[in-house]
Amino acid sequence: MIGGQSQLDITLWIKRFPGGQTSHGESLPTIVFPHAGGAAAAYRNFALALSAKGVDTFVVQYPQRGERLRDPAPDTVAELAAEMLTAVDWAHLGPLRLFGHCMGALVGFEFARLAAQRGIVVRELWASASQAPSTVADSRPAPTTDRELLADIADMGGTDARLLEDEDFLELLLPAVRADYHAFNRYTCDRSVRIDADIHAVGGTSDHRVDQELLRQWEFHTHGVFTFTQFDGGHFYIDDHLDDVADLVSCT
């Protein structure tokens, strides 16, 4: 059962990893939002780590990848969040927890804003390796040409260098990254915009893409509690700390 419901209509492009009762009591269902260009499969191990701790976990799949390869990409982050929100009757799950990595945290933030308008309760947003919403408009635009995208993906890390030399792989990867980067480049948010959910900013100590200052500014976007945690590692620190991050998320 999930949130007291025996059945829930889950679309095929949302991956569910069932949890259960934790040592801390019933845990909030958690939705995971991947990074720009990231597929749901990249978060399978993290979802399994959360599930093992009793957390019902749902990993969303954005358009232009996986089983949604031919689905058109929304133009904006807000439209992408709205698509995720309407895909499932999330209200049946009860209060939610959201976890977004990099651009995924912005999608989660917009998801929380839209959810509030529909009476869907979001208790917590985990913003992982992501700059705060109000900092995006003044930051350097994300690249969109093939050459720039390849250089940026290599710089970001998290992708096997051998795959970046595979033309078939790049034919699938680059359109997804480009679509997400276009949405990122269009994103704007005033510093005064806040959500009721607690916000927990998490990052890597050696992340050269999202430094501590950008991460800490998430504090301005919540009416609730704000926490800040760092782990050793870079932009994809989570890959080296799956169990520790899952423990952090599941225990709140």
Side-chain angles (χ1 to χ4, degrees), residues 221-234:
H221 293 288
T222 177
H223 290 296
V225 172
F226 173 78
T227 66
F228 176 79
T229 306
Q230 283 189 301
F231 290 90
D232 292 337

Side-chain angles (χ1 to χ4, degrees), residues 1 3 17-30 47-57 97 124 246-252:
M1 294 178 66
F17 297 80
Q21 196 77 9
T22 72
S23 60
H24 309 282
E26 188 174 9
S27 183
L28 300 184
T30 299
L48 287 171
L50 284 171
S51 176
K53 296 182 184 300
V55 179
D56 279 310
T57 306
R97 177 191 288 120
E124 296 175 296
D247 192 52
L248 185 68
V249 173
S250 65
C251 288
T252 57

Side-chain angles (χ1 to χ4, degrees), residues 160-188:
D160 189 327
R162 292 170 296 182
L163 291 176
L164 297 181
E165 298 177 356
D166 185 324
E167 292 185 3
D168 291 335
F169 176 76
L170 292 178
E171 188 176 345
L172 297 175
L173 176 66
L174 292 183
V177 179
R178 183 180 292 107
D180 291 349
Y181 278 10
H182 276 307
F184 176 85
N185 288 340
R186 297 184 182 105
Y187 187 76
T188 61

Side-chain angles (χ1 to χ4, degrees), residues 200-222:
H200 307 290
V202 192
T205 55
S206 56
D207 186 349
H208 66 286
R209 297 176 69 90
V210 180
D211 61 27
Q212 184 176 143
E213 180 183 357
L214 290 174
L215 197 57
R216 283 189 178 277
Q217 290 189 58
W218 277 97
E219 182 175 9
F220 299 111
H221 293 288
T222 177

Side-chain angles (χ1 to χ4, degrees), residues 87-145:
V88 172
D89 187 2
W90 298 109
H92 279 111
L93 294 178
L96 301 170
R97 177 191 288 120
L98 313 178
F99 183 99
H101 188 79
C102 198
M103 190 191 81
L106 300 178
V107 180
F109 181 73
E110 294 301 322
F111 181 101
R113 292 177 65 188
L114 293 169
Q117 296 173 13
R118 296 184 175 216
I120 300 172
V121 178
V122 174
R123 291 277 177 81
E124 296 175 296
L125 168 63
W126 290 83
S128 172
S130 173
Q131 64 187 100
S134 55
T135 70
V136 174
D138 292 330
S139 62
R140 185 177 65 181
T144 55
T145 68

